[in-house]
Amino acid sequence: MSRKLEKGFIQLYTGNGKGKTTAAIGQAVRAAGYGLKTYIVQFMKEYPYNELNSLKNLSDWITIEQVCKDDFVFRKEKPPQEEIDKADNALIKAKDKMCSGSYDIIILDEVFVSIYFGLLKTDTILEFINGKPENAELILTGRYAPQEIIDQADLVTEMKEIKHYYTKGVLARRGIES
Amino acid sequence: MSRKLEKGFIQLYTGNGKGKTTAAIGQAVRAAGYGLKTYIVQFMKEYPYNELNSLKNLSDWITIEQVCKDDFVFRKEKPPQEEIDKADNALIKAKDKMCSGSYDIIILDEVFVSIYFGLLKTDTILEFINGKPENAELILTGRYAPQEIIDQADLVTEMKEIKHYYTKGVLARRGIES
């Protein structure tokens, strides 16, 4: 059964701890169970994030698009113009999904990291927020959320790392971290 | 395709912010996409959490059980013995799933709230942790994590509420908060 939100808010998950992307994914899964449709854009997360495989089973409710590589970060370079254009186009597409009413929840995953590394501009996201229809929920995730965007959000959670096994030398594990 | 974890850790999500349960659910969904099986016990969360509906689509990978009501809290009473027994039995069952190797990840959702309200004992959970096989991942969530359990965890994230729309008088919304 398909339903609609009465009123949508802006949720923001930031901080250096684990759980930002998984919280957003879990939120989409919960919403799907109620009959709400979610459109997810994952920035800088091409392959091999395994949520992609699972969400195929919920494709009536959840659409997920991955956009932009993150290899320029590892090369310690500015993002190539081609990637900046891709990020902007992904936002235009997401805005269309949000405004057309075909989706109830829009998730921009790792949007703040994308701003931090120069793929997107804070102003572009503020404009995106500004265009949010009353009954759409917007979820933004990533480290380094700019204060101007925090100011616009209704719900802000900081995932704060208290203890992490990375400090014990454990590497990211497939199926867990990606 | 079914896979196994090489080494499992203890993840803990606590704090007063939103995203603890959804992070655990999202983790299970991601893990399923990689071929890992998850067994979830949700304490004090009977109906109408909508993740239940969605996870049916991933039932080859994710099993979810809900146990114990939370109405005694609202009545400001101690938990009835019947509910304490249910909680203990749910743990015994979860331990069996964890130790048999039929599941790679065990999630005890809202386990800390259950300790806080007297449904479970800290010692019982420490014992549970102690019985974790090397290759099982254990994820514990809920406000009020006791320090003794934090000490045993490998990864601890505090979901810290920075801003919440509850303070604006917004009530919990179906499909979003439940």
Side-chain angles (χ1 to χ4, degrees), chain A residues 27 29-30 33 51 53-54 137 150 153-154 156 158 160 162-163 168 173 176, chain B residues 7 29-30 33 51 53-54 137 150 153-154 156 158 160 162-163 168 173 176:
Chain A
Q27 176 72 86
V29 169
R30 174 180 288 170
E51 46 263 36
N53 298 330
S54 296
E137 187 92 0
I150 291 177
D154 301 294
V156 178
E158 180 194 355
K160 208 176 155 190
I162 306 291
K163 201 195 263 192
K168 289 192 200 171
R173 293 170 298 154
I176 302 292
Chain B
K7 180 162 165 49
V29 169
R30 174 180 289 171
E51 46 264 34
N53 298 329
S54 295
E137 187 93 1
I150 290 177
D154 300 295
V156 178
E158 180 194 355
K160 207 176 154 189
I162 306 291
K163 201 194 263 190
K168 290 190 197 173
R173 294 170 297 152
I176 302 292

PDB file of all heavy atoms in Angstrom, chain A residues 27 29-30 33 51 53-54 137 150 153-154 156 158 160 162-163 168 173 176, chain B residues 7 29-30 33 51 53-54 137 150 153-154 156 158 160 162-163 168 173 176:
ATOM      1  N   GLN A  27      16.349   3.918   7.708  1.00  0.00           N
ATOM      2  CA  GLN A  27      15.172   4.781   7.671  1.00  0.00           C
ATOM      3  C   GLN A  27      14.344   4.528   6.406  1.00  0.00           C
ATOM      4  O   GLN A  27      13.114   4.456   6.455  1.00  0.00           O
ATOM      5  CB  GLN A  27      15.603   6.259   7.735  1.00  0.00           C
ATOM      6  CG  GLN A  27      14.499   7.264   7.607  1.00  0.00           C
ATOM      7  CD  GLN A  27      13.618   7.336   8.837  1.00  0.00           C
ATOM      8  OE1 GLN A  27      13.908   8.046   9.784  1.00  0.00           O
ATOM      9  NE2 GLN A  27      12.518   6.577   8.836  1.00  0.00           N
ATOM     10  N   VAL A  29      14.272   1.743   4.718  1.00  0.00           N
ATOM     11  CA  VAL A  29      13.694   0.401   4.847  1.00  0.00           C
ATOM     12  C   VAL A  29      12.445   0.456   5.730  1.00  0.00           C
ATOM     13  O   VAL A  29      11.401  -0.108   5.406  1.00  0.00           O
ATOM     14  CB  VAL A  29      14.747  -0.583   5.423  1.00  0.00           C
ATOM     15  CG1 VAL A  29      14.116  -1.907   5.821  1.00  0.00           C
ATOM     16  CG2 VAL A  29      15.875  -0.801   4.403  1.00  0.00           C
ATOM     17  N   ARG A  30      12.551   1.173   6.845  1.00  0.00           N
ATOM     18  CA  ARG A  30      11.392   1.335   7.731  1.00  0.00           C
ATOM     19  C   ARG A  30      10.247   2.030   6.985  1.00  0.00           C
ATOM     20  O   ARG A  30       9.094   1.589   7.048  1.00  0.00           O
ATOM     21  CB  ARG A  30      11.798   2.157   8.955  1.00  0.00           C
ATOM     22  CG  ARG A  30      10.624   2.490   9.855  1.00  0.00           C
ATOM     23  CD  ARG A  30      11.055   3.307  11.059  1.00  0.00           C
ATOM     24  NE  ARG A  30      11.794   2.487  12.002  1.00  0.00           N
ATOM     25  CZ  ARG A  30      12.460   2.982  13.058  1.00  0.00           C
ATOM     26  NH1 ARG A  30      12.475   4.269  13.276  1.00  0.00           N
ATOM     27  NH2 ARG A  30      13.095   2.172  13.875  1.00  0.00           N
ATOM     28  N   GLY A  33       8.324  -0.087   4.625  1.00  0.00           N
ATOM     29  CA  GLY A  33       7.390  -0.974   5.308  1.00  0.00           C
ATOM     30  C   GLY A  33       6.062  -0.307   5.601  1.00  0.00           C
ATOM     31  O   GLY A  33       5.051  -0.965   5.839  1.00  0.00           O
ATOM     32  N   GLU A  51      24.674  -2.451   0.265  1.00  0.00           N
ATOM     33  CA  GLU A  51      23.247  -2.146   0.408  1.00  0.00           C
ATOM     34  C   GLU A  51      22.555  -2.171  -0.959  1.00  0.00           C
ATOM     35  O   GLU A  51      21.371  -2.480  -1.060  1.00  0.00           O
ATOM     36  CB  GLU A  51      22.998  -0.799   1.110  1.00  0.00           C
ATOM     37  CG  GLU A  51      23.830   0.377   0.636  1.00  0.00           C
ATOM     38  CD  GLU A  51      25.062   0.612   1.511  1.00  0.00           C
ATOM     39  OE1 GLU A  51      25.634  -0.388   1.980  1.00  0.00           O
ATOM     40  OE2 GLU A  51      25.440   1.772   1.725  1.00  0.00           O
ATOM     41  N   ASN A  53      22.806  -4.280  -3.406  1.00  0.00           N
ATOM     42  CA  ASN A  53      22.276  -5.610  -3.714  1.00  0.00           C
ATOM     43  C   ASN A  53      20.972  -5.869  -2.980  1.00  0.00           C
ATOM     44  O   ASN A  53      20.007  -6.361  -3.551  1.00  0.00           O
ATOM     45  CB  ASN A  53      23.274  -6.697  -3.305  1.00  0.00           C
ATOM     46  CG  ASN A  53      24.572  -6.587  -4.067  1.00  0.00           C
ATOM     47  OD1 ASN A  53      24.583  -6.138  -5.207  1.00  0.00           O
ATOM     48  ND2 ASN A  53      25.665  -6.972  -3.445  1.00  0.00           N
ATOM     49  N   SER A  54      20.953  -5.531  -1.693  1.00  0.00           N
ATOM     50  CA  SER A  54      19.767  -5.822  -0.880  1.00  0.00           C
ATOM     51  C   SER A  54      18.579  -4.978  -1.295  1.00  0.00           C
ATOM     52  O   SER A  54      17.449  -5.454  -1.319  1.00  0.00           O
ATOM     53  CB  SER A  54      20.044  -5.530   0.591  1.00  0.00           C
ATOM     54  OG  SER A  54      21.029  -6.383   1.070  1.00  0.00           O
ATOM     55  N   GLU A 137      10.289  14.442   2.905  1.00  0.00           N
ATOM     56  CA  GLU A 137      11.305  14.338   3.960  1.00  0.00           C
ATOM     57  C   GLU A 137      12.664  14.361   3.279  1.00  0.00           C
ATOM     58  O   GLU A 137      12.869  13.701   2.260  1.00  0.00           O
ATOM     59  CB  GLU A 137      11.127  13.007   4.705  1.00  0.00           C
ATOM     60  CG  GLU A 137      12.002  12.844   5.926  1.00  0.00           C
ATOM     61  CD  GLU A 137      11.291  13.314   7.205  1.00  0.00           C
ATOM     62  OE1 GLU A 137      10.126  13.757   7.131  1.00  0.00           O
ATOM     63  OE2 GLU A 137      11.925  13.236   8.276  1.00  0.00           O
ATOM     64  N   ILE A 150      23.130  23.032   8.954  1.00  0.00           N
ATOM     65  CA  ILE A 150      22.631  22.604  10.274  1.00  0.00           C
ATOM     66  C   ILE A 150      21.510  23.548  10.729  1.00  0.00           C
ATOM     67  O   ILE A 150      20.476  23.109  11.240  1.00  0.00           O
ATOM     68  CB  ILE A 150      23.781  22.573  11.312  1.00  0.00           C
ATOM     69  CG1 ILE A 150      24.758  21.429  10.980  1.00  0.00           C
ATOM     70  CG2 ILE A 150      23.256  22.456  12.750  1.00  0.00           C
ATOM     71  CD1 ILE A 150      25.970  21.324  11.885  1.00  0.00           C
ATOM     72  N   ALA A 153      18.158  22.599   9.339  1.00  0.00           N
ATOM     73  CA  ALA A 153      17.631  21.251   9.588  1.00  0.00           C
ATOM     74  C   ALA A 153      16.691  21.232  10.793  1.00  0.00           C
ATOM     75  O   ALA A 153      16.785  22.069  11.685  1.00  0.00           O
ATOM     76  CB  ALA A 153      18.779  20.287   9.812  1.00  0.00           C
ATOM     77  N   ASP A 154      15.751  20.272  10.778  1.00  0.00           N
ATOM     78  CA  ASP A 154      14.816  20.129  11.893  1.00  0.00           C
ATOM     79  C   ASP A 154      15.324  19.155  12.931  1.00  0.00           C
ATOM     80  O   ASP A 154      15.017  19.255  14.104  1.00  0.00           O
ATOM     81  CB  ASP A 154      13.463  19.611  11.366  1.00  0.00           C
ATOM     82  CG  ASP A 154      12.870  20.550  10.342  1.00  0.00           C
ATOM     83  OD1 ASP A 154      12.516  21.673  10.739  1.00  0.00           O
ATOM     84  OD2 ASP A 154      12.796  20.180   9.153  1.00  0.00           O
ATOM     85  N   VAL A 156      18.888  17.089  13.986  1.00  0.00           N
ATOM     86  CA  VAL A 156      20.328  16.931  13.758  1.00  0.00           C
ATOM     87  C   VAL A 156      20.881  15.938  14.771  1.00  0.00           C
ATOM     88  O   VAL A 156      20.708  16.114  15.974  1.00  0.00           O
ATOM     89  CB  VAL A 156      21.072  18.277  13.900  1.00  0.00           C
ATOM     90  CG1 VAL A 156      22.568  18.088  13.708  1.00  0.00           C
ATOM     91  CG2 VAL A 156      20.520  19.301  12.918  1.00  0.00           C
ATOM     92  N   GLU A 158      24.430  13.942  15.828  1.00  0.00           N
ATOM     93  CA  GLU A 158      25.867  13.769  15.627  1.00  0.00           C
ATOM     94  C   GLU A 158      26.241  12.350  16.029  1.00  0.00           C
ATOM     95  O   GLU A 158      26.032  11.945  17.164  1.00  0.00           O
ATOM     96  CB  GLU A 158      26.633  14.773  16.510  1.00  0.00           C
ATOM     97  CG  GLU A 158      28.142  14.653  16.350  1.00  0.00           C
ATOM     98  CD  GLU A 158      28.929  15.370  17.442  1.00  0.00           C
ATOM     99  OE1 GLU A 158      28.312  16.049  18.281  1.00  0.00           O
ATOM    100  OE2 GLU A 158      30.156  15.212  17.449  1.00  0.00           O
ATOM    101  N   LYS A 160      28.886  10.273  17.168  1.00  0.00           N
ATOM    102  CA  LYS A 160      30.157  10.614  17.803  1.00  0.00           C
ATOM    103  C   LYS A 160      30.950   9.345  18.096  1.00  0.00           C
ATOM    104  O   LYS A 160      30.447   8.449  18.775  1.00  0.00           O
ATOM    105  CB  LYS A 160      29.838  11.345  19.117  1.00  0.00           C
ATOM    106  CG  LYS A 160      30.902  12.294  19.546  1.00  0.00           C
ATOM    107  CD  LYS A 160      30.483  13.050  20.787  1.00  0.00           C
ATOM    108  CE  LYS A 160      31.709  13.503  21.533  1.00  0.00           C
ATOM    109  NZ  LYS A 160      31.380  14.039  22.864  1.00  0.00           N
ATOM    110  N   ILE A 162      33.136   7.090  19.984  1.00  0.00           N
ATOM    111  CA  ILE A 162      33.635   6.977  21.355  1.00  0.00           C
ATOM    112  C   ILE A 162      34.803   5.993  21.366  1.00  0.00           C
ATOM    113  O   ILE A 162      35.784   6.174  22.063  1.00  0.00           O
ATOM    114  CB  ILE A 162      32.513   6.469  22.308  1.00  0.00           C
ATOM    115  CG1 ILE A 162      31.261   7.348  22.206  1.00  0.00           C
ATOM    116  CG2 ILE A 162      33.011   6.367  23.743  1.00  0.00           C
ATOM    117  CD1 ILE A 162      31.384   8.745  22.745  1.00  0.00           C
ATOM    118  N   LYS A 163      34.672   4.953  20.568  1.00  0.00           N
ATOM    119  CA  LYS A 163      35.701   3.912  20.502  1.00  0.00           C
ATOM    120  C   LYS A 163      35.594   3.288  19.119  1.00  0.00           C
ATOM    121  O   LYS A 163      34.486   3.048  18.644  1.00  0.00           O
ATOM    122  CB  LYS A 163      35.362   2.850  21.556  1.00  0.00           C
ATOM    123  CG  LYS A 163      36.517   1.978  21.992  1.00  0.00           C
ATOM    124  CD  LYS A 163      35.983   0.776  22.735  1.00  0.00           C
ATOM    125  CE  LYS A 163      35.998   0.925  24.248  1.00  0.00           C
ATOM    126  NZ  LYS A 163      35.732  -0.385  24.919  1.00  0.00           N
ATOM    127  N   LYS A 168      42.534  -0.086  16.513  1.00  0.00           N
ATOM    128  CA  LYS A 168      43.224  -1.351  16.832  1.00  0.00           C
ATOM    129  C   LYS A 168      43.858  -1.946  15.579  1.00  0.00           C
ATOM    130  O   LYS A 168      44.300  -3.096  15.573  1.00  0.00           O
ATOM    131  CB  LYS A 168      42.222  -2.389  17.362  1.00  0.00           C
ATOM    132  CG  LYS A 168      41.671  -2.112  18.735  1.00  0.00           C
ATOM    133  CD  LYS A 168      40.952  -3.380  19.215  1.00  0.00           C
ATOM    134  CE  LYS A 168      39.967  -3.078  20.327  1.00  0.00           C
ATOM    135  NZ  LYS A 168      39.129  -4.250  20.644  1.00  0.00           N
ATOM    136  N   ARG A 173      35.754  -3.702   6.720  1.00  0.00           N
ATOM    137  CA  ARG A 173      35.381  -5.062   6.345  1.00  0.00           C
ATOM    138  C   ARG A 173      34.213  -5.074   5.382  1.00  0.00           C
ATOM    139  O   ARG A 173      33.242  -4.339   5.583  1.00  0.00           O
ATOM    140  CB  ARG A 173      35.018  -5.851   7.616  1.00  0.00           C
ATOM    141  CG  ARG A 173      36.207  -6.076   8.534  1.00  0.00           C
ATOM    142  CD  ARG A 173      35.750  -6.632   9.873  1.00  0.00           C
ATOM    143  NE  ARG A 173      34.874  -5.702  10.571  1.00  0.00           N
ATOM    144  CZ  ARG A 173      33.955  -6.057  11.462  1.00  0.00           C
ATOM    145  NH1 ARG A 173      33.784  -7.321  11.749  1.00  0.00           N
ATOM    146  NH2 ARG A 173      33.201  -5.157  12.041  1.00  0.00           N
ATOM    147  N   ILE A 176      30.292  -5.091   6.263  1.00  0.00           N
ATOM    148  CA  ILE A 176      30.106  -4.345   7.511  1.00  0.00           C
ATOM    149  C   ILE A 176      30.311  -2.846   7.245  1.00  0.00           C
ATOM    150  O   ILE A 176      29.401  -2.048   7.405  1.00  0.00           O
ATOM    151  CB  ILE A 176      31.063  -4.832   8.623  1.00  0.00           C
ATOM    152  CG1 ILE A 176      30.879  -6.329   8.896  1.00  0.00           C
ATOM    153  CG2 ILE A 176      30.875  -4.001   9.895  1.00  0.00           C
ATOM    154  CD1 ILE A 176      29.546  -6.725   9.521  1.00  0.00           C
TER     155      ILE A 176
ATOM    156  N   LYS B   7      36.359 -12.196  11.048  1.00  0.00           N
ATOM    157  CA  LYS B   7      36.396 -11.896  12.481  1.00  0.00           C
ATOM    158  C   LYS B   7      35.250 -10.940  12.812  1.00  0.00           C
ATOM    159  O   LYS B   7      35.031  -9.974  12.092  1.00  0.00           O
ATOM    160  CB  LYS B   7      37.747 -11.264  12.839  1.00  0.00           C
ATOM    161  CG  LYS B   7      37.860 -10.916  14.305  1.00  0.00           C
ATOM    162  CD  LYS B   7      39.269 -10.712  14.784  1.00  0.00           C
ATOM    163  CE  LYS B   7      39.270 -10.022  16.156  1.00  0.00           C
ATOM    164  NZ  LYS B   7      38.359 -10.636  17.141  1.00  0.00           N
ATOM    165  N   VAL B  29      20.948  -4.792   6.441  1.00  0.00           N
ATOM    166  CA  VAL B  29      20.612  -4.727   5.010  1.00  0.00           C
ATOM    167  C   VAL B  29      21.889  -4.731   4.172  1.00  0.00           C
ATOM    168  O   VAL B  29      22.007  -5.455   3.178  1.00  0.00           O
ATOM    169  CB  VAL B  29      19.750  -3.471   4.709  1.00  0.00           C
ATOM    170  CG1 VAL B  29      19.611  -3.227   3.220  1.00  0.00           C
ATOM    171  CG2 VAL B  29      18.379  -3.607   5.372  1.00  0.00           C
ATOM    172  N   ARG B  30      22.861  -3.934   4.585  1.00  0.00           N
ATOM    173  CA  ARG B  30      24.149  -3.916   3.880  1.00  0.00           C
ATOM    174  C   ARG B  30      24.808  -5.298   3.926  1.00  0.00           C
ATOM    175  O   ARG B  30      25.271  -5.799   2.897  1.00  0.00           O
ATOM    176  CB  ARG B  30      25.075  -2.889   4.534  1.00  0.00           C
ATOM    177  CG  ARG B  30      26.473  -2.898   3.954  1.00  0.00           C
ATOM    178  CD  ARG B  30      27.369  -1.888   4.611  1.00  0.00           C
ATOM    179  NE  ARG B  30      26.996  -0.532   4.228  1.00  0.00           N
ATOM    180  CZ  ARG B  30      27.500   0.564   4.798  1.00  0.00           C
ATOM    181  NH1 ARG B  30      28.367   0.462   5.778  1.00  0.00           N
ATOM    182  NH2 ARG B  30      27.134   1.755   4.386  1.00  0.00           N
ATOM    183  N   GLY B  33      23.406  -7.811   1.578  1.00  0.00           N
ATOM    184  CA  GLY B  33      23.849  -7.606   0.198  1.00  0.00           C
ATOM    185  C   GLY B  33      25.187  -8.260  -0.083  1.00  0.00           C
ATOM    186  O   GLY B  33      25.547  -8.492  -1.240  1.00  0.00           O
ATOM    187  N   GLU B  51       9.857  -1.580   9.886  1.00  0.00           N
ATOM    188  CA  GLU B  51      10.965  -2.339   9.283  1.00  0.00           C
ATOM    189  C   GLU B  51      10.570  -3.807   9.116  1.00  0.00           C
ATOM    190  O   GLU B  51      11.032  -4.488   8.207  1.00  0.00           O
ATOM    191  CB  GLU B  51      12.257  -2.220  10.093  1.00  0.00           C
ATOM    192  CG  GLU B  51      12.162  -2.385  11.597  1.00  0.00           C
ATOM    193  CD  GLU B  51      12.061  -1.044  12.316  1.00  0.00           C
ATOM    194  OE1 GLU B  51      11.441  -0.126  11.726  1.00  0.00           O
ATOM    195  OE2 GLU B  51      12.582  -0.919  13.435  1.00  0.00           O
ATOM    196  N   ASN B  53       7.828  -5.150   8.050  1.00  0.00           N
ATOM    197  CA  ASN B  53       7.217  -5.405   6.736  1.00  0.00           C
ATOM    198  C   ASN B  53       8.267  -5.502   5.647  1.00  0.00           C
ATOM    199  O   ASN B  53       8.238  -6.391   4.808  1.00  0.00           O
ATOM    200  CB  ASN B  53       6.245  -4.277   6.362  1.00  0.00           C
ATOM    201  CG  ASN B  53       5.102  -4.177   7.339  1.00  0.00           C
ATOM    202  OD1 ASN B  53       4.692  -5.184   7.911  1.00  0.00           O
ATOM    203  ND2 ASN B  53       4.595  -2.970   7.541  1.00  0.00           N
ATOM    204  N   SER B  54       9.207  -4.568   5.663  1.00  0.00           N
ATOM    205  CA  SER B  54      10.210  -4.528   4.605  1.00  0.00           C
ATOM    206  C   SER B  54      11.151  -5.712   4.670  1.00  0.00           C
ATOM    207  O   SER B  54      11.537  -6.268   3.648  1.00  0.00           O
ATOM    208  CB  SER B  54      11.055  -3.263   4.719  1.00  0.00           C
ATOM    209  OG  SER B  54      10.257  -2.141   4.503  1.00  0.00           O
ATOM    210  N   GLU B 137      29.439 -11.215  14.621  1.00  0.00           N
ATOM    211  CA  GLU B 137      29.384  -9.779  14.930  1.00  0.00           C
ATOM    212  C   GLU B 137      28.188  -9.561  15.860  1.00  0.00           C
ATOM    213  O   GLU B 137      27.113 -10.107  15.625  1.00  0.00           O
ATOM    214  CB  GLU B 137      29.169  -8.997  13.619  1.00  0.00           C
ATOM    215  CG  GLU B 137      29.259  -7.491  13.752  1.00  0.00           C
ATOM    216  CD  GLU B 137      30.677  -6.965  13.474  1.00  0.00           C
ATOM    217  OE1 GLU B 137      31.576  -7.783  13.162  1.00  0.00           O
ATOM    218  OE2 GLU B 137      30.875  -5.737  13.583  1.00  0.00           O
ATOM    219  N   ILE B 150      30.120  -0.996  27.676  1.00  0.00           N
ATOM    220  CA  ILE B 150      30.929  -0.138  26.800  1.00  0.00           C
ATOM    221  C   ILE B 150      32.385  -0.612  26.829  1.00  0.00           C
ATOM    222  O   ILE B 150      33.050  -0.696  25.794  1.00  0.00           O
ATOM    223  CB  ILE B 150      30.821   1.346  27.233  1.00  0.00           C
ATOM    224  CG1 ILE B 150      29.410   1.886  26.929  1.00  0.00           C
ATOM    225  CG2 ILE B 150      31.891   2.213  26.558  1.00  0.00           C
ATOM    226  CD1 ILE B 150      29.155   3.316  27.384  1.00  0.00           C
ATOM    227  N   ALA B 153      33.052  -3.397  24.417  1.00  0.00           N
ATOM    228  CA  ALA B 153      32.738  -3.211  22.991  1.00  0.00           C
ATOM    229  C   ALA B 153      33.968  -2.769  22.210  1.00  0.00           C
ATOM    230  O   ALA B 153      34.901  -2.179  22.761  1.00  0.00           O
ATOM    231  CB  ALA B 153      31.624  -2.184  22.836  1.00  0.00           C
ATOM    232  N   ASP B 154      33.976  -3.112  20.909  1.00  0.00           N
ATOM    233  CA  ASP B 154      35.096  -2.720  20.041  1.00  0.00           C
ATOM    234  C   ASP B 154      34.821  -1.390  19.358  1.00  0.00           C
ATOM    235  O   ASP B 154      35.738  -0.649  19.040  1.00  0.00           O
ATOM    236  CB  ASP B 154      35.298  -3.788  18.957  1.00  0.00           C
ATOM    237  CG  ASP B 154      35.605  -5.139  19.555  1.00  0.00           C
ATOM    238  OD1 ASP B 154      36.663  -5.275  20.174  1.00  0.00           O
ATOM    239  OD2 ASP B 154      34.755  -6.047  19.436  1.00  0.00           O
ATOM    240  N   VAL B 156      32.154   1.906  19.556  1.00  0.00           N
ATOM    241  CA  VAL B 156      31.074   2.561  20.297  1.00  0.00           C
ATOM    242  C   VAL B 156      30.765   3.896  19.626  1.00  0.00           C
ATOM    243  O   VAL B 156      31.654   4.726  19.439  1.00  0.00           O
ATOM    244  CB  VAL B 156      31.478   2.807  21.767  1.00  0.00           C
ATOM    245  CG1 VAL B 156      30.363   3.527  22.518  1.00  0.00           C
ATOM    246  CG2 VAL B 156      31.831   1.491  22.456  1.00  0.00           C
ATOM    247  N   GLU B 158      28.143   7.165  19.862  1.00  0.00           N
ATOM    248  CA  GLU B 158      27.081   7.861  20.590  1.00  0.00           C
ATOM    249  C   GLU B 158      26.278   8.702  19.602  1.00  0.00           C
ATOM    250  O   GLU B 158      26.825   9.574  18.935  1.00  0.00           O
ATOM    251  CB  GLU B 158      27.700   8.789  21.656  1.00  0.00           C
ATOM    252  CG  GLU B 158      26.641   9.532  22.449  1.00  0.00           C
ATOM    253  CD  GLU B 158      27.201  10.690  23.276  1.00  0.00           C
ATOM    254  OE1 GLU B 158      28.432  10.873  23.310  1.00  0.00           O
ATOM    255  OE2 GLU B 158      26.381  11.421  23.851  1.00  0.00           O
ATOM    256  N   LYS B 160      24.198  11.539  19.221  1.00  0.00           N
ATOM    257  CA  LYS B 160      23.998  12.675  20.104  1.00  0.00           C
ATOM    258  C   LYS B 160      22.972  13.634  19.497  1.00  0.00           C
ATOM    259  O   LYS B 160      23.154  14.092  18.361  1.00  0.00           O
ATOM    260  CB  LYS B 160      25.355  13.386  20.247  1.00  0.00           C
ATOM    261  CG  LYS B 160      25.502  14.130  21.531  1.00  0.00           C
ATOM    262  CD  LYS B 160      26.902  14.720  21.662  1.00  0.00           C
ATOM    263  CE  LYS B 160      26.838  15.911  22.567  1.00  0.00           C
ATOM    264  NZ  LYS B 160      28.079  16.664  22.587  1.00  0.00           N
ATOM    265  N   ILE B 162      21.481  16.847  18.598  1.00  0.00           N
ATOM    266  CA  ILE B 162      21.906  18.245  18.530  1.00  0.00           C
ATOM    267  C   ILE B 162      20.657  19.130  18.414  1.00  0.00           C
ATOM    268  O   ILE B 162      20.570  20.194  18.980  1.00  0.00           O
ATOM    269  CB  ILE B 162      22.835  18.469  17.306  1.00  0.00           C
ATOM    270  CG1 ILE B 162      24.023  17.484  17.305  1.00  0.00           C
ATOM    271  CG2 ILE B 162      23.311  19.910  17.230  1.00  0.00           C
ATOM    272  CD1 ILE B 162      25.051  17.701  18.394  1.00  0.00           C
ATOM    273  N   LYS B 163      19.698  18.638  17.650  1.00  0.00           N
ATOM    274  CA  LYS B 163      18.465  19.390  17.425  1.00  0.00           C
ATOM    275  C   LYS B 163      17.379  18.363  17.130  1.00  0.00           C
ATOM    276  O   LYS B 163      17.620  17.407  16.404  1.00  0.00           O
ATOM    277  CB  LYS B 163      18.661  20.272  16.187  1.00  0.00           C
ATOM    278  CG  LYS B 163      17.743  21.455  16.060  1.00  0.00           C
ATOM    279  CD  LYS B 163      17.808  22.025  14.659  1.00  0.00           C
ATOM    280  CE  LYS B 163      18.724  23.209  14.503  1.00  0.00           C
ATOM    281  NZ  LYS B 163      18.567  23.875  13.172  1.00  0.00           N
ATOM    282  N   LYS B 168       9.861  20.949  18.889  1.00  0.00           N
ATOM    283  CA  LYS B 168       8.932  21.873  18.215  1.00  0.00           C
ATOM    284  C   LYS B 168       7.500  21.375  18.328  1.00  0.00           C
ATOM    285  O   LYS B 168       6.596  21.871  17.664  1.00  0.00           O
ATOM    286  CB  LYS B 168       9.251  21.965  16.718  1.00  0.00           C
ATOM    287  CG  LYS B 168      10.533  22.673  16.351  1.00  0.00           C
ATOM    288  CD  LYS B 168      10.531  22.883  14.825  1.00  0.00           C
ATOM    289  CE  LYS B 168      11.909  23.194  14.304  1.00  0.00           C
ATOM    290  NZ  LYS B 168      11.930  23.234  12.829  1.00  0.00           N
ATOM    291  N   ARG B 173       6.204  10.124  13.985  1.00  0.00           N
ATOM    292  CA  ARG B 173       5.446   9.913  12.745  1.00  0.00           C
ATOM    293  C   ARG B 173       5.580   8.479  12.261  1.00  0.00           C
ATOM    294  O   ARG B 173       6.682   7.938  12.235  1.00  0.00           O
ATOM    295  CB  ARG B 173       5.950  10.874  11.673  1.00  0.00           C
ATOM    296  CG  ARG B 173       5.671  12.322  12.007  1.00  0.00           C
ATOM    297  CD  ARG B 173       6.394  13.246  11.052  1.00  0.00           C
ATOM    298  NE  ARG B 173       7.838  13.109  11.150  1.00  0.00           N
ATOM    299  CZ  ARG B 173       8.688  13.346  10.167  1.00  0.00           C
ATOM    300  NH1 ARG B 173       8.233  13.715   8.989  1.00  0.00           N
ATOM    301  NH2 ARG B 173       9.980  13.212  10.356  1.00  0.00           N
ATOM    302  N   ILE B 176       8.414   6.949   9.851  1.00  0.00           N
ATOM    303  CA  ILE B 176       9.667   7.674  10.110  1.00  0.00           C
ATOM    304  C   ILE B 176      10.232   7.261  11.471  1.00  0.00           C
ATOM    305  O   ILE B 176      11.311   6.693  11.540  1.00  0.00           O
ATOM    306  CB  ILE B 176       9.464   9.206  10.041  1.00  0.00           C
ATOM    307  CG1 ILE B 176       8.909   9.629   8.682  1.00  0.00           C
ATOM    308  CG2 ILE B 176      10.767   9.935  10.365  1.00  0.00           C
ATOM    309  CD1 ILE B 176       9.854   9.461   7.499  1.00  0.00           C
TER     310      ILE B 176
END
